[in-house]
Amino acid sequence: MDTKMFCFQCEQTAGCAGCTGSAGVCGKTAATAQLQDALTGALCGLARAAMDGGADSDTDRLIIEGLFATLTNVSFDDRALEQLLARAEREKERLQPGCAGCAAPCGKVENYDLAALWGGPDEDVRSLKSLILFGLRGMAAYAHHARALGHSDEQVNTFFYRALYALGEDLTVPQLLPLALQLGEVNLRCMGLLDGANTGAYGAPVPTEVTMTVQPGPFIVISGHDLHDLKLLLEQTVGTGVSVYTHGEMLPAHAYPALHAYPQLKGHLGTAWQNQQREFADLPAPILFTTNCIMPPKSSYADRVFTTGVVSFAGAAHIGPERDFTPLIARAKQLGGYAQPHTFTGINGGSKLTTGFGRDAVLAHADEVLAAISRGDIRHIFLVGGCDGARPGRSYYTEFVQQTPPDTLVLTLACGKFRFNDLDLGQVAGLPRIMDMGQCNDAYSAIQVALALAEALGCGVNDLPLSMVLSWYEQKAVCILLTLLHLGVQNIRLGPTLPAFLSPGILQYLVKHYHIAPITTPQQDLQALLGR
């Protein structure tokens, strides 16, 4: 296998152009990157094999798991990727028996060679196909979480096949543009599916204050996004004396009534995913990674890392599909936790966080918000959310929020909020000025709030006193952006850098039709957005 790779799917890709050496900035090796490309190509071949029918729920699951495994910070384990690749090949053979050994291949089940995409001569085609592929990977994460709760959608499943098939076809820019926007439309449906699954299982989020003080005794830290894994862990820790603390994007779990009801769900520790190697170094507890948040563990805590689902790291203990957390609980008891209370703080020094302002909680105050807007008490609403990351320049989001005027609201979601969610900005019109709407998965809630406010005011979303200032890192941000474009949302500020996979031609199209702009400075952007 070659010792070099090509990957430009995340925001911190080398030189804002692409990781091309023996390892990516994220820590995956060239061999791992090539296996992920081979798996993606095999999923395209599987979509081709399914064009005559025969795909079933297991095929759907394989497509979704395979795409999810290629997301940034999910799987660093070559063996796990090889197993998924072998499953894809077996499934192709089931759908099209005998094709693999055919002496006169017709290309019916041929895998797609991603090298043809990365090295394609038309940069705009490459850009749009990359946008679609990365959007599919992000949407697969949402579909995966919904499936864990028994929820699936045939239109969403069918689109995965259609789009993967299209990636291997010789399509033009005019043919690819509507497919990218349709992905945004289908992703809205997929996010709605997940929203219904989460609220149906755990209730609608309720505004909840969460402590960042860890109490004495054994405990487990759970990171990622998967609420189903957390629920199973809580069930299995009942009566064990082991507490559970959330990390990163699991913070909003505290706001769901059915999860908050477990007394051993004690609080939250740490900030966003990119700080884990420092925050976990001396932690006297095991860490469970459930989704796309894992980094290559440092030796100081590698023996305390557990993974589950499609998350995998060579050498880390993996909890299988039966979700028996007995080894994890035993490790927590062995490590013992802290002897005295230990307080963590956010980036700005705060030790308490508030979450749970989902759409039901926000819209419960819709009349107050609308009245305050009409009176001029609330001048503007900013949605400042998205992914966090390690690249310099992300302090922009802290400074932006700090500089928002006192007569404005700040809605936020995803792990980008850890740049500022421990700030106390007071209240406006009787509401907290910072309102955490949840995970990146909860972008659906933010969209529904915007649509409801626009309907109540009798205007379009772009006519609202609302501005979106977004940070991106990985592929879930890509599918959310496509959803916003599908809805016709204009004037989005995006940073800290623009995606490397956006060609000048496609970027120009987005600027012309949607007025997307890169962030500049907090002062300049606030002046421009408030002057709209």
Side-chain angles (χ1 to χ4, degrees), residues 347-362:
I347 288 177
N348 304 288
S351 60
K352 290 184 178 180
L353 305 171
T354 301
T355 187
F357 289 95
R359 73 175 186 280
D360 287 351
V362 174

Side-chain angles (χ1 to χ4, degrees), residues 384-405:
V384 186
C387 316
D388 204 2
R391 190 186 294 278
R394 288 184 177 268
S395 59
Y396 164 96
Y397 297 94
T398 308
E399 296 167 12
F400 184 95
V401 170
Q402 287 175 321
Q403 294 177 31
T404 55

